Amino acid sequence: MAAIMRLRISLAGEAPYEVNVTPKVIVSAERNFGKPMSQLFGENASFEALCWTAWKATTQAGKVVKPFEEWLDSVDSIDTGEEVPLPLETP
């Protein structure tokens, strides 16, 4: 199944891994939060929705994980790959 986006997840004490966010994962997130993707990941993005989506994508990839709240306790970072470059400091 084609991915809409890819997330890189770092958990405490584990090697980082990447997951594909597929249409099925997006629909699951929309159903869980009762909002369309454009609201969950738009200008006023919900970090909780991003974390839940990463967790759901991880489970969809077949990786055995703890329930969401327990898994969230071990999350160090989630990278969407959409980093915004910071301006260089001027002397």
Side-chain angles (χ1 to χ4, degrees):
M1 187 175 283
I4 293 177
M5 74 173 121
R6 192 159 175 83
L7 300 174
R8 183 173 178 82
I9 303 162
S10 295
L11 302 178
E14 295 184 26
Y17 63 93
E18 294 185 358
V19 292
N20 290 323
V21 178
T22 63
K24 183 174 182 176
V25 171
I26 293 297
V27 170
S28 293
E30 290 178 337
R31 288 178 179 167
N32 185 68
F33 290 98
K35 294 181 181 180
M37 183 181 178
S38 60
Q39 289 180 3
L40 294 173
F41 300 102
E43 189 174 313
N44 298 316
S46 163
F47 190 68
E48 178 184 13
L50 175 65
C51 290
W52 190 91
T53 300
W55 172 79
K56 188 66 173 180
T58 300
T59 64
Q60 290 290 316
K63 185 173 171 83
V64 177
V65 294
K66 298 175 183 176
F68 176 67
E69 290 296 329
E70 292 177 43
W71 176 84
L72 188 56
D73 286 338
S74 66
V75 173
D76 281 339
S77 67
I78 299 174
D79 180 17
T80 62
E82 299 173 6
E83 294 182 28
V84 177
L86 298 174
L88 296 173
E89 291 183 28
T90 55

XYZ file of all heavy atoms in Angstrom:
703
model
N 0.836 -1.173 0.000
C 0.000 0.000 0.000
C 0.888 1.245 0.000
O 1.893 1.306 0.691
C -0.893 -0.032 1.238
C -1.921 1.060 1.252
S -3.078 0.928 2.643
C -4.128 -0.384 2.037
N 0.524 2.248 -0.772
C 1.320 3.466 -0.886
C 1.244 4.294 0.388
O 0.213 4.352 1.036
C 0.807 4.291 -2.064
N 2.356 4.929 0.702
C 2.416 5.765 1.895
C 2.092 7.209 1.544
O 2.464 7.695 0.485
C 3.796 5.688 2.519
N 1.390 7.877 2.447
C 1.109 9.297 2.289
C 2.262 10.104 2.872
O 2.629 11.138 2.367
C -0.232 9.647 2.952
C -1.348 8.964 2.174
C -0.444 11.146 3.031
C -2.722 9.144 2.730
N 2.828 9.602 3.966
C 4.021 10.198 4.548
C 4.803 9.115 5.268
O 4.322 8.008 5.456
C 3.664 11.363 5.481
C 3.071 10.984 6.808
S 2.890 12.436 7.877
C 1.135 12.371 8.143
N 6.005 9.472 5.643
C 6.879 8.532 6.350
C 7.332 9.209 7.636
O 7.651 10.399 7.634
C 8.070 8.191 5.464
C 8.883 7.025 5.940
C 9.679 6.455 4.751
N 10.565 5.410 5.175
C 10.195 4.144 5.357
N 8.953 3.782 5.175
N 11.067 3.236 5.742
N 7.330 8.460 8.725
C 7.737 8.987 10.016
C 8.942 8.216 10.540
O 9.024 7.001 10.366
C 6.593 8.872 11.032
C 5.309 9.612 10.690
C 4.229 9.274 11.702
C 5.550 11.107 10.622
N 9.860 8.922 11.186
C 11.013 8.299 11.841
C 10.790 8.450 13.343
O 10.654 9.557 13.848
C 12.308 8.976 11.415
C 13.540 8.326 12.015
C 14.795 8.954 11.412
N 16.001 8.404 11.982
C 16.570 7.262 11.612
N 16.036 6.540 10.656
N 17.682 6.846 12.188
N 10.780 7.334 14.035
C 10.432 7.290 15.443
C 11.640 6.836 16.251
O 12.286 5.841 15.914
C 9.246 6.334 15.672
C 8.065 6.796 14.817
C 8.882 6.249 17.145
C 7.005 5.756 14.599
N 11.929 7.581 17.305
C 13.009 7.215 18.221
C 12.398 6.927 19.588
O 11.721 7.785 20.149
C 14.023 8.352 18.361
O 14.670 8.579 17.143
N 12.631 5.721 20.071
C 12.166 5.316 21.389
C 13.359 5.171 22.318
O 14.450 4.805 21.871
C 11.404 3.986 21.327
C 10.185 3.931 20.411
C 9.581 2.527 20.419
C 9.144 4.946 20.829
N 13.160 5.421 23.588
C 14.235 5.312 24.572
C 14.809 3.896 24.564
O 14.068 2.921 24.629
C 13.708 5.654 25.957
N 16.129 3.802 24.447
C 16.803 2.518 24.517
C 16.670 1.635 23.297
O 17.065 0.474 23.321
N 16.102 2.145 22.215
C 15.936 1.362 20.984
C 16.490 2.127 19.796
O 16.573 3.352 19.817
C 14.454 1.054 20.728
C 13.808 0.168 21.761
C 12.360 -0.179 21.401
O 12.025 -0.167 20.197
O 11.593 -0.449 22.325
N 16.830 1.386 18.748
C 17.269 2.019 17.507
C 16.066 2.697 16.843
O 14.953 2.163 16.884
C 17.856 0.974 16.567
N 16.263 3.872 16.246
C 15.164 4.533 15.538
C 14.652 3.648 14.405
O 15.393 2.831 13.854
C 15.797 5.801 14.971
C 17.031 6.008 15.767
C 17.495 4.645 16.196
N 13.390 3.797 14.068
C 12.810 3.059 12.956
C 11.875 3.975 12.186
O 11.477 5.036 12.677
C 12.081 1.801 13.442
C 10.887 2.064 14.345
C 9.602 2.171 13.810
C 11.032 2.185 15.721
C 8.508 2.402 14.627
C 9.949 2.404 16.545
C 8.680 2.516 15.992
O 7.595 2.750 16.796
N 11.552 3.579 10.965
C 10.653 4.363 10.117
C 9.412 3.567 9.801
O 9.459 2.340 9.690
C 11.364 4.772 8.830
C 12.501 5.739 9.072
C 13.126 6.252 7.794
O 12.708 5.838 6.688
O 14.041 7.092 7.905
N 8.296 4.290 9.667
C 7.025 3.667 9.296
C 6.363 4.488 8.200
O 6.565 5.701 8.112
C 6.059 3.535 10.497
C 6.560 2.528 11.510
C 5.783 4.872 11.152
N 5.601 3.815 7.363
C 4.798 4.473 6.353
C 3.421 4.774 6.929
O 2.825 3.926 7.584
C 4.621 3.577 5.126
C 5.900 3.425 4.349
O 6.679 4.360 4.222
N 6.126 2.239 3.825
N 2.947 5.984 6.684
C 1.590 6.345 7.064
C 0.733 6.136 5.816
O 0.814 6.895 4.860
C 1.513 7.796 7.576
C 0.080 8.162 7.920
C 2.415 7.966 8.785
N -0.036 5.076 5.846
C -0.850 4.668 4.697
C -2.256 5.263 4.802
O -2.639 5.767 5.864
C -0.952 3.139 4.651
O -1.624 2.702 5.838
C 0.415 2.479 4.546
N -3.035 5.196 3.723
C -4.410 5.675 3.792
C -5.201 5.025 4.939
O -5.991 5.700 5.611
C -4.989 5.297 2.426
C -3.794 5.364 1.514
C -2.664 4.812 2.342
N -4.979 3.745 5.191
C -5.691 3.066 6.274
C -5.363 3.691 7.628
O -6.244 3.855 8.475
C -5.334 1.576 6.276
C -6.086 0.779 7.311
C -5.801 -0.701 7.184
C -6.611 -1.480 8.224
N -6.440 -2.916 8.080
N -4.109 4.053 7.842
C -3.698 4.687 9.100
C -4.335 6.071 9.219
O -4.823 6.453 10.289
C -2.163 4.760 9.195
C -1.723 5.602 10.384
C -1.567 3.365 9.278
N -4.355 6.833 8.132
C -4.967 8.169 8.139
C -6.455 8.079 8.468
O -6.959 8.837 9.301
C -4.757 8.881 6.788
C -3.272 9.197 6.587
C -5.603 10.148 6.699
C -2.668 10.142 7.597
N -7.166 7.157 7.846
C -8.596 6.991 8.135
C -8.799 6.609 9.597
O -9.697 7.122 10.265
C -9.238 5.957 7.180
C -10.647 5.596 7.629
C -9.249 6.502 5.755
N -7.942 5.754 10.120
C -8.027 5.376 11.540
C -7.846 6.602 12.430
O -8.560 6.766 13.421
C -6.970 4.329 11.885
O -7.228 3.116 11.230
N -6.886 7.463 12.095
C -6.650 8.679 12.878
C -7.854 9.614 12.794
O -8.286 10.171 13.808
C -5.388 9.386 12.390
N -8.404 9.784 11.599
C -9.572 10.652 11.439
C -10.756 10.132 12.248
O -11.462 10.908 12.898
C -9.948 10.771 9.959
C -8.944 11.572 9.150
C -9.294 11.652 7.680
O -10.039 10.789 7.163
O -8.820 12.594 7.031
N -10.951 8.838 12.243
C -12.044 8.245 13.018
C -11.787 8.389 14.518
O -12.705 8.677 15.284
C -12.213 6.773 12.652
C -12.802 6.571 11.277
C -12.903 5.113 10.922
N -13.496 4.953 9.596
C -13.491 3.814 8.909
N -12.930 2.724 9.420
N -14.047 3.763 7.724
N -10.543 8.189 14.934
C -10.203 8.263 16.354
C -10.408 9.673 16.915
O -10.907 9.839 18.021
C -8.759 7.814 16.580
C -8.394 7.758 18.046
O -8.897 6.918 18.783
N -7.542 8.654 18.478
N -10.010 10.701 16.145
C -10.073 12.077 16.624
C -11.305 12.845 16.143
O -11.551 13.961 16.599
C -8.798 12.832 16.227
C -7.596 12.350 16.982
C -6.726 11.439 16.413
C -7.349 12.774 18.275
C -5.623 10.969 17.106
C -6.252 12.315 18.981
C -5.391 11.404 18.404
N -12.058 12.253 15.219
C -13.278 12.904 14.735
C -13.022 14.169 13.938
O -13.857 15.073 13.906
N -11.860 14.232 13.288
C -11.490 15.394 12.480
C -10.780 14.915 11.222
O -10.105 13.891 11.245
C -10.538 16.317 13.249
C -11.157 16.966 14.460
C -10.157 17.861 15.142
C -10.783 18.490 16.375
N -9.844 19.369 17.068
N -10.879 15.682 10.122
C -10.153 15.298 8.908
C -8.652 15.543 9.053
O -8.203 16.331 9.889
C -10.757 16.204 7.830
C -11.296 17.374 8.572
C -11.706 16.863 9.922
N -7.892 14.870 8.221
C -6.431 14.976 8.244
C -5.977 16.428 8.125
O -5.020 16.833 8.770
C -5.839 14.138 7.117
C -4.335 14.135 7.105
S -3.730 13.143 5.732
C -1.986 13.349 5.915
N -6.675 17.220 7.323
C -6.288 18.621 7.129
C -6.314 19.402 8.439
O -5.528 20.325 8.631
C -7.186 19.291 6.095
O -8.535 19.239 6.533
N -7.183 19.040 9.360
C -7.222 19.707 10.663
C -6.209 19.102 11.631
O -5.610 19.806 12.437
C -8.621 19.626 11.276
C -9.624 20.500 10.572
C -11.002 20.406 11.205
O -11.208 19.739 12.202
N -11.962 21.084 10.575
N -6.029 17.796 11.555
C -5.093 17.125 12.468
C -3.640 17.484 12.186
O -2.830 17.593 13.094
C -5.264 15.605 12.386
C -6.589 15.051 12.881
C -6.681 13.557 12.582
C -6.772 15.314 14.365
N -3.311 17.648 10.896
C -1.923 17.878 10.504
C -1.727 19.188 9.757
O -0.710 19.388 9.128
C -1.421 16.714 9.646
C -1.468 15.397 10.373
C -2.474 14.488 10.113
C -0.529 15.084 11.324
C -2.532 13.281 10.793
C -0.577 13.885 12.011
C -1.583 12.985 11.746
N -2.685 20.078 9.844
C -2.601 21.363 9.153
C -1.841 22.402 9.949
O -0.943 22.098 10.736
N -2.237 23.647 9.779
C -1.568 24.779 10.411
C -1.554 24.672 11.942
O -0.584 25.009 12.590
C -2.256 26.076 9.980
C -1.513 27.305 10.400
C -2.147 28.553 9.826
O -2.440 28.561 8.615
O -2.341 29.499 10.593
N -2.639 24.221 12.520
C -2.732 24.054 13.981
C -2.666 22.578 14.331
O -3.544 22.032 14.995
C -4.038 24.678 14.502
C -4.095 26.164 14.248
O -3.120 26.860 14.473
N -5.221 26.649 13.764
N -1.608 21.923 13.879
C -1.465 20.477 14.021
C -1.523 20.028 15.479
O -1.074 20.725 16.381
C -0.148 20.026 13.391
N -2.080 18.847 15.665
C -2.171 18.236 16.991
C -0.994 17.285 17.178
O -0.849 16.312 16.439
C -3.488 17.458 17.096
O -3.454 16.559 18.184
N -0.159 17.553 18.185
C 0.969 16.660 18.433
C 0.462 15.310 18.918
O 1.043 14.270 18.600
C 1.956 17.270 19.431
C 3.232 16.498 19.515
C 4.114 16.471 18.455
C 3.533 15.762 20.641
C 5.303 15.736 18.521
C 4.709 15.014 20.722
C 5.591 15.012 19.655
N -0.618 15.303 19.666
C -1.203 14.030 20.104
C -1.603 13.195 18.889
O -1.355 11.986 18.845
C -2.420 14.249 21.000
C -3.067 12.951 21.438
C -4.335 13.126 22.257
O -4.885 14.237 22.309
O -4.786 12.122 22.835
N -2.211 13.831 17.891
C -2.613 13.113 16.680
C -1.394 12.562 15.940
O -1.436 11.450 15.415
C -3.437 14.019 15.766
N -0.300 13.336 15.905
C 0.926 12.854 15.261
C 1.452 11.625 15.992
O 1.800 10.625 15.359
C 1.986 13.950 15.236
C 3.348 13.519 14.691
C 3.261 13.139 13.216
C 4.378 14.611 14.909
N 1.494 11.683 17.322
C 1.979 10.544 18.113
C 1.087 9.332 17.920
O 1.566 8.213 17.717
C 2.054 10.916 19.592
S 3.346 12.101 19.970
N -0.222 9.543 17.951
C -1.162 8.424 17.790
C -1.011 7.808 16.395
O -1.021 6.588 16.240
C -2.600 8.887 18.022
C -3.565 7.757 18.114
C -3.953 7.103 19.245
C -4.265 7.124 17.028
N -4.852 6.106 18.932
C -5.060 6.094 17.573
C -4.302 7.323 15.652
C -5.871 5.275 16.795
C -5.108 6.509 14.878
C -5.876 5.502 15.450
N -0.835 8.657 15.394
C -0.665 8.180 14.024
C 0.623 7.376 13.893
O 0.646 6.324 13.241
C -0.685 9.361 13.034
O -1.951 10.031 13.166
C -0.512 8.908 11.602
N 1.692 7.831 14.530
C 2.958 7.081 14.514
C 2.776 5.722 15.181
O 3.264 4.705 14.681
C 4.053 7.876 15.220
N 2.076 5.704 16.310
C 1.795 4.444 17.018
C 0.958 3.503 16.152
O 1.277 2.332 16.007
C 1.079 4.746 18.332
C 0.570 3.546 19.052
C 1.294 2.683 19.818
C -0.778 3.071 19.087
N 0.473 1.700 20.338
C -0.808 1.914 19.898
C -1.960 3.515 18.505
C -1.971 1.201 20.137
C -3.125 2.813 18.749
C -3.113 1.662 19.557
N -0.085 4.041 15.536
C -0.960 3.219 14.686
C -0.192 2.692 13.478
O -0.342 1.522 13.100
C -2.180 4.035 14.246
C -3.229 3.236 13.537
C -3.847 2.223 14.474
C -5.019 1.516 13.830
N -5.631 0.530 14.718
N 0.636 3.531 12.860
C 1.446 3.087 11.716
C 2.420 2.000 12.138
O 2.673 1.052 11.389
C 2.193 4.274 11.108
N 2.943 2.110 13.352
C 3.845 1.084 13.877
C 3.120 -0.243 14.026
O 3.636 -1.295 13.629
C 4.435 1.530 15.233
O 5.167 2.752 15.040
C 5.372 0.488 15.807
N 1.907 -0.204 14.568
C 1.138 -1.450 14.727
C 0.749 -2.021 13.364
O 0.784 -3.236 13.181
C -0.128 -1.248 15.589
O -1.027 -0.356 14.943
C 0.218 -0.725 16.972
N 0.399 -1.151 12.408
C 0.027 -1.606 11.064
C 1.213 -2.234 10.340
O 1.036 -3.085 9.486
C -0.532 -0.443 10.227
C -1.888 0.034 10.671
C -2.975 -0.969 10.368
O -3.037 -1.545 9.295
N -3.855 -1.185 11.336
N 2.420 -1.817 10.709
C 3.631 -2.377 10.087
C 3.973 -3.750 10.660
O 4.919 -4.387 10.218
C 4.799 -1.417 10.273
N 3.208 -4.173 11.670
C 3.432 -5.496 12.241
C 4.389 -5.514 13.415
O 4.729 -6.574 13.920
N 4.838 -4.336 13.845
C 5.738 -4.268 15.002
C 4.885 -4.382 16.270
O 3.889 -3.686 16.421
C 6.498 -2.943 14.975
C 7.534 -2.805 16.058
C 8.345 -1.536 15.831
C 9.255 -1.197 16.984
N 10.507 -1.887 16.996
N 5.286 -5.248 17.157
C 4.550 -5.429 18.405
C 4.896 -4.265 19.330
O 6.064 -4.017 19.612
C 4.906 -6.771 19.078
C 4.193 -6.916 20.402
C 4.567 -7.931 18.145
N 3.870 -3.532 19.743
C 4.082 -2.385 20.618
C 3.126 -2.436 21.802
O 2.112 -3.126 21.773
C 3.885 -1.048 19.865
C 4.936 -0.860 18.803
C 2.504 -0.952 19.266
N 3.446 -1.651 22.793
C 2.604 -1.527 23.978
C 1.353 -0.720 23.620
O 1.319 -0.057 22.580
C 3.375 -0.793 25.077
C 4.618 -1.515 25.535
C 5.385 -0.654 26.526
C 6.668 -1.339 26.935
N 7.500 -0.515 27.808
N 0.343 -0.736 24.494
C -0.802 0.160 24.282
C -0.313 1.610 24.169
O 0.764 1.958 24.685
C -1.654 -0.044 25.537
C -1.302 -1.415 26.016
C 0.164 -1.592 25.670
N -1.083 2.464 23.514
C -0.649 3.816 23.160
C -0.020 4.584 24.319
O 1.085 5.112 24.189
C -1.814 4.625 22.568
C -1.447 6.054 22.270
C -0.529 6.359 21.280
C -1.996 7.089 23.009
C -0.169 7.681 21.012
C -1.653 8.410 22.751
C -0.739 8.703 21.748
N -0.697 4.693 25.445
C -0.180 5.498 26.559
C 1.165 4.979 27.062
O 2.054 5.771 27.377
C -1.191 5.561 27.699
C -2.427 6.372 27.390
C -2.164 7.857 27.156
O -1.226 8.420 27.759
O -2.904 8.456 26.355
N 1.332 3.675 27.125
C 2.610 3.091 27.563
C 3.696 3.318 26.513
O 4.843 3.605 26.848
C 2.444 1.602 27.840
C 1.577 1.291 29.034
C 1.377 -0.202 29.221
O 2.365 -0.959 29.082
O 0.235 -0.609 29.480
N 3.340 3.162 25.242
C 4.284 3.398 24.150
C 4.739 4.851 24.168
O 5.927 5.145 24.022
C 3.602 3.049 22.824
C 4.401 3.310 21.586
C 5.330 2.498 21.017
C 4.324 4.469 20.749
N 5.842 3.070 19.872
C 5.231 4.289 19.685
C 3.566 5.641 20.778
C 5.416 5.226 18.678
C 3.755 6.579 19.779
C 4.672 6.362 18.746
N 3.810 5.769 24.402
C 4.105 7.198 24.407
C 5.142 7.551 25.469
O 5.974 8.433 25.267
C 2.811 7.988 24.631
C 2.864 9.495 24.489
C 3.388 9.896 23.120
C 1.481 10.080 24.732
N 5.114 6.846 26.591
C 6.094 7.086 27.659
C 7.526 6.865 27.187
O 8.463 7.446 27.745
C 5.825 6.175 28.861
C 4.614 6.598 29.658
O 4.215 7.782 29.581
O 4.050 5.741 30.363
N 7.727 6.023 26.174
C 9.087 5.710 25.718
C 9.514 6.495 24.481
O 10.643 6.359 24.021
C 9.207 4.208 25.428
O 8.387 3.848 24.340
N 8.645 7.359 23.952
C 8.971 8.116 22.738
C 9.942 9.242 23.055
O 9.688 10.067 23.932
C 7.697 8.694 22.083
C 8.050 9.630 20.930
C 6.796 7.574 21.588
N 11.081 9.244 22.357
C 12.040 10.343 22.460
C 11.738 11.415 21.416
O 11.792 12.596 21.698
C 13.476 9.846 22.261
C 14.039 9.178 23.502
O 13.523 9.417 24.612
O 14.999 8.399 23.358
N 11.427 10.970 20.181
C 11.116 11.933 19.126
C 10.384 11.251 17.971
O 10.477 10.041 17.786
C 12.390 12.601 18.599
O 13.192 11.660 17.917
N 9.667 12.083 17.226
C 9.015 11.656 15.992
C 9.354 12.713 14.957
O 9.089 13.900 15.158
C 7.492 11.522 16.157
C 7.169 10.467 17.211
C 6.844 11.178 14.816
C 5.695 10.360 17.552
N 9.972 12.286 13.866
C 10.420 13.196 12.821
C 9.584 12.969 11.576
O 9.513 11.855 11.064
C 11.901 12.952 12.524
C 12.451 13.849 11.440
O 11.818 14.869 11.114
O 13.533 13.529 10.915
N 8.981 14.049 11.090
C 8.177 13.960 9.875
C 9.012 14.193 8.624
O 8.514 14.034 7.520
C 7.032 14.991 9.893
O 7.601 16.309 9.940
C 6.115 14.779 11.073
N 10.271 14.601 8.818
C 11.127 14.866 7.665
C 10.849 16.207 7.022
O 11.378 16.527 5.981
N 10.007 17.018 7.657
C 9.655 18.323 7.112
C 10.294 19.419 7.951
O 9.640 20.323 8.442
C 8.145 18.495 7.089
C 7.436 17.488 6.233
C 5.923 17.572 6.354
O 5.416 18.488 7.015
O 5.260 16.722 5.778
N 11.601 19.311 8.126
C 12.299 20.286 8.949
C 12.348 21.635 8.249
O 12.560 21.721 7.048
C 13.718 19.807 9.251
C 13.753 18.576 10.125
C 15.166 18.158 10.437
O 16.061 19.023 10.452
O 15.370 16.954 10.666
N 12.153 22.680 9.010
C 12.241 24.030 8.498
C 13.621 24.578 8.857
O 13.997 24.566 10.026
C 11.148 24.925 9.122
C 11.280 26.366 8.635
C 9.776 24.363 8.842
N 14.401 24.995 7.853
C 15.745 25.477 8.166
C 15.678 26.751 9.009
O 14.853 27.622 8.764
C 16.361 25.741 6.794
C 15.245 25.778 5.832
C 14.094 25.043 6.456
N 16.535 26.822 10.009
C 16.608 28.009 10.845
C 17.518 29.020 10.184
O 18.522 28.665 9.570
C 17.147 27.639 12.235
C 16.298 26.678 13.038
C 17.034 26.293 14.315
C 14.950 27.278 13.361
N 17.194 30.305 10.319
C 18.081 31.314 9.723
C 19.408 31.351 10.469
O 19.472 31.071 11.662
C 17.304 32.619 9.912
C 16.316 32.348 10.977
C 16.038 30.862 10.958
N 20.450 31.671 9.742
C 21.776 31.790 10.358
C 21.804 33.041 11.227
O 21.191 34.062 10.922
C 22.857 31.886 9.294
C 23.024 30.657 8.401
C 24.029 30.960 7.283
C 23.490 29.477 9.221
N 22.519 32.927 12.343
C 22.657 34.087 13.215
C 23.568 35.104 12.549
O 24.551 34.763 11.904
C 23.248 33.667 14.549
C 22.313 32.817 15.384
C 22.914 32.473 16.732
O 23.737 33.251 17.252
O 22.558 31.409 17.242
N 23.238 36.358 12.728
C 24.095 37.412 12.194
C 25.015 37.913 13.291
O 24.586 38.039 14.448
C 23.252 38.567 11.630
O 22.368 39.023 12.644
C 22.460 38.130 10.425
N 26.272 38.166 12.954
C 27.222 38.618 13.980
C 26.904 40.000 14.498
O 26.243 40.777 14.041
C 28.569 38.572 13.295
C 28.323 38.355 11.857
C 26.875 38.001 11.680
